[in-house]
Amino acid sequence: MAKGYEVLKMLYPNGGWAIYGEDYEGIKFIECEPITKAEFETGFAQYDAWKAEQDAAKAQAKAALLKRLGLTQEEFNTLTS
């Protein structure tokens, strides 16, 4: 399950907030527009799909870079170990 700070990072990737604990009441909106408690709670339901999309995009970018370099994952691992 997602943590409160992870949900806020998804909703506000550039920051502007602080969170103390895991509850909506612990959020301090410093340099961003506040969200409602319902929006925060909905973020928990959306987080897993958003994180999966982010991970897939990162993996795709990595694969494209390895292909441009003409390296396999194993060759890359050898170079970086």
Side-chain angles (χ1 to χ4, degrees):
M1 175 146 194
K3 303 282 186 190
Y5 75 91
E6 293 172 322
V7 171
L8 286 171
K9 283 177 72 173
M10 174 189 72
L11 297 172
Y12 290 107
N14 296 325
W17 50 266
I19 186 168
Y20 304 95
E22 292 296 319
D23 298 327
Y24 177 79
E25 290 75 21
I27 303 172
K28 303 295 180 215
F29 296 99
I30 303 163
E31 297 176 358
C32 61
E33 189 69 29
I35 58 173
T36 65
K37 185 174 184 177
E39 290 170 319
F40 180 64
E41 290 173 354
T42 300
F44 282 92
Q46 298 167 340
Y47 180 81
D48 288 336
W50 174 83
K51 180 69 170 141
E53 288 175 14
Q54 298 298 306
D55 291 346
K58 189 182 291 186
Q60 187 177 25
K62 181 179 178 181
L65 177 60
L66 288 174
K67 184 176 180 177
R68 283 197 316 258
L69 294 172
L71 296 173
T72 65
Q73 182 65 53
E74 293 78 23
E75 291 168 334
F76 175 78
N77 291 346
T78 300
L79 289 173
T80 60
S81 61

